[in-house]
Amino acid sequence: MRPFVALLRKDLLLELRSGRTTTALVSLALLVLVVLAFALDRTITGGSDAAAGAMWVALVFAGMLGATRVMLAEQENGCLRALLLSPVDRATLYAAKLSAAFIFMLGAAFAAMVLAILFFNLEFSSVAGTLAIALLLGALGFSALATLLAAISARARGGELLLPILIVPLFVPALIAGVKASASALSGAQFAAAAQWFGVLIAFDVLFVAAGYLLFEHVVGEE
Amino acid sequence: MAAPVIETHALGKTFGLAPVLRDTAFSLLPGAAAIVIGANGAGKSTLLKILAGLVAPSDGYALVFGEDTRCFSPRCRGRIGMVSHQSFLYPSLTARENLKFYGELYGIADPSAAAESWLERVGLSDFGRERVRTFSRGMEQRLAVARAMIHDPALLLLDEPFAALDADGRSRVTALIKSALEEGCSVLATAHQPFEIEEVALDLYEIVRGQVVPFQEKEEGRRGGRLRSLPRPRSS
């Protein structure tokens, strides 16, 4: 438990010092939502559908910058090698990296949610619970996927370019489910109406958290 | 006789089509110190990375503390300390935070006290609150040595440990290596030129065309005999 706490604290401290990830997350979420709020014709798409779509697009783009940086930051001065050389087992390393990415994604999700509500003039109080669950599940799935793929791309030449190409197609099932569940929540429908989409989000989370846990050792292992 | 800390058997490493190491067979006994000398690109760093379990050999295998470097146990990794060309330090953290972090990773009882102690030992106690980003290359190297030794490793792998160090840094690092050897630690270092540590028998090796061979032709008197060549495997 102690190495896990040390790793997580170190990642949060690095972020606190640089503020790079938070700045990127919020500014990109803001940019995407401003553009989409003006570009989408809400009379055709419906306010809740447009808001849900815009919110998830902002979340994915912001997350791509934020969640992946947790792994990429280890490349500086070869710090990833030092972690691999330490007695910390790979599962703990993965859990710490996933937790840090998840915390950053929660920040992005919160920013996207607040901004979407403001820009799309939505009634928040009645949908808060369902929407928060959808975003929470989406953020977890995205963090798991991003941590695993960032570990792969950290070993490849030009890995930062490779990352978006890999993440977006793999995240499509969760993205569709997240948009549908959020739209359902924003339209004021009952939780049961979006149950199938929540099922997809949970399955995606289980799949990629387990895949990351099992594959991380092989992905970050020896060169 | 005690089991060797390091044993390599027909070890080879190829990057693309270029062989860097080939058919390397040697061992290092507990408490011994050896230096591997070689020109740039000779394969010194690659050899240390293989022994640290960071790079997989293309041929043969290496055993460290009796474990294959390709599948080290966490316990075995915890007994190795390594100084590399890269400092393995986080530029945005202070010197103290870096040492404390690594102390926690290695399960040291009191990481804060250990960090203070090691800052003192490498002469950086006045810079504990400074971020590594502001350090000179020499200061970073001193801190990298402290990071590698903070958990009292049983084997030190030092890739050009004196790189960028001034006279004071050199003497401090030399004293630390000597102190580690006195406590029973084994040391394998690489360098461009042979160096000496007072009252310590250093075994000299060099990498010639990818093979680690004793440095006997030029420095006959230096061989301590604790680093021994293993018999080559017979070809069928």
Side-chain angles (χ1 to χ4, degrees), chain B:
Chain B
M1 192 167 66
V5 173
I6 295 173
E7 277 181 88
T8 69
H9 296 268
L11 192 70
K13 180 67 185 176
T14 304
F15 290 110
L17 295 173
V20 176
L21 293 173
R22 60 187 178 90
D23 202 17
T24 295
F26 75 94
S27 71
L28 181 69
L29 295 176
I35 307 171
V36 178
I37 297 154
N40 290 330
K44 306 184 296 291
S45 301
T46 302
L47 175 67
L48 291 197
K49 283 178 192 165
I50 290 173
L51 295 174
L54 295 172
V55 169
S58 308
D59 302 299
Y61 62 95
L63 301 176
V64 174
F65 299 117
E67 289 191 22
D68 194 315
T69 55
R70 288 166 295 192
C71 46
F72 268 156
S73 66
R75 187 178 166 275
C76 187
R77 288 200 302 268
R79 297 177 72 190
I80 300 171
M82 185 184 193
V83 172
S84 172
H85 282 287
Q86 292 175 300
S87 67
F88 298 165
L89 298 166
Y90 294 92
S92 297
L93 297 185
T94 66
R96 186 176 287 117
E97 285 166 348
N98 265 292
L99 291 185
K100 193 180 164 208
F101 168 67
Y102 282 107
E104 285 170 334
L105 285 194
Y106 281 87
I108 291 171
D110 188 350
S112 299
E116 288 304 326
S117 162
W118 277 96
L119 282 172
E120 175 81 39
R121 293 175 81 172
V122 294
L124 291 175
S125 44
D126 291 339
F127 301 93
R129 298 176 75 171
E130 303 285 329
R131 292 188 193 179
V132 170
R133 193 180 298 285
T134 66
F135 279 16
S136 69
R137 179 71 188 92
M139 289 162 80
E140 201 171 326
Q141 182 73 358
R142 289 187 194 204
L143 194 61
V145 171
R147 176 202 53 75
M149 297 178 77
I150 194 167
H151 58 291
D152 295 326
L155 170 64
L156 266 176
L157 300 171
L158 307 172
D159 197 358
E160 297 180 32
F162 301 116
L165 289 179
D166 58 12
D168 178 56
R170 227 182 137 84
S171 76
R172 281 180 187 271
V173 170
T174 303
L176 289 173
I177 295 171
K178 194 175 166 186
S179 162
L181 282 164
E182 283 165 2
E183 289 166 19
C185 178
S186 308
V187 177
L188 180 63
T190 67
H192 290 297
Q193 300 291 330
F195 60 85
E196 291 177 346
I197 297 177
E198 237 173 84
E199 299 166 15
V200 172
L202 290 170
D203 303 309
L204 288 179
Y205 268 58
E206 67 179 326
I207 298 183
V208 180
R209 287 183 293 277
Q211 284 191 308
V212 179
V213 294
F215 197 64
Q216 56 192 7
E217 294 85 3
K218 297 167 194 168
E219 296 284 338
E220 185 67 43
R222 286 204 188 200
R223 284 188 296 139
R226 288 195 285 181
L227 192 72
R228 62 183 171 81
S229 293
L230 290 174
R232 295 266 176 83
R234 285 180 190 171
S235 54
S236 53

Side-chain angles (χ1 to χ4, degrees), chain A residues 178-209:
Chain A
V179 170
K180 291 289 185 187
S182 302
S184 171
L186 288 170
S187 67
Q190 293 293 311
F191 182 83
Q196 58 174 333
W197 300 115
F198 282 108
V200 174
L201 283 172
I202 291 167
F204 187 90
D205 289 0
V206 170
L207 178 69
F208 279 99
V209 170

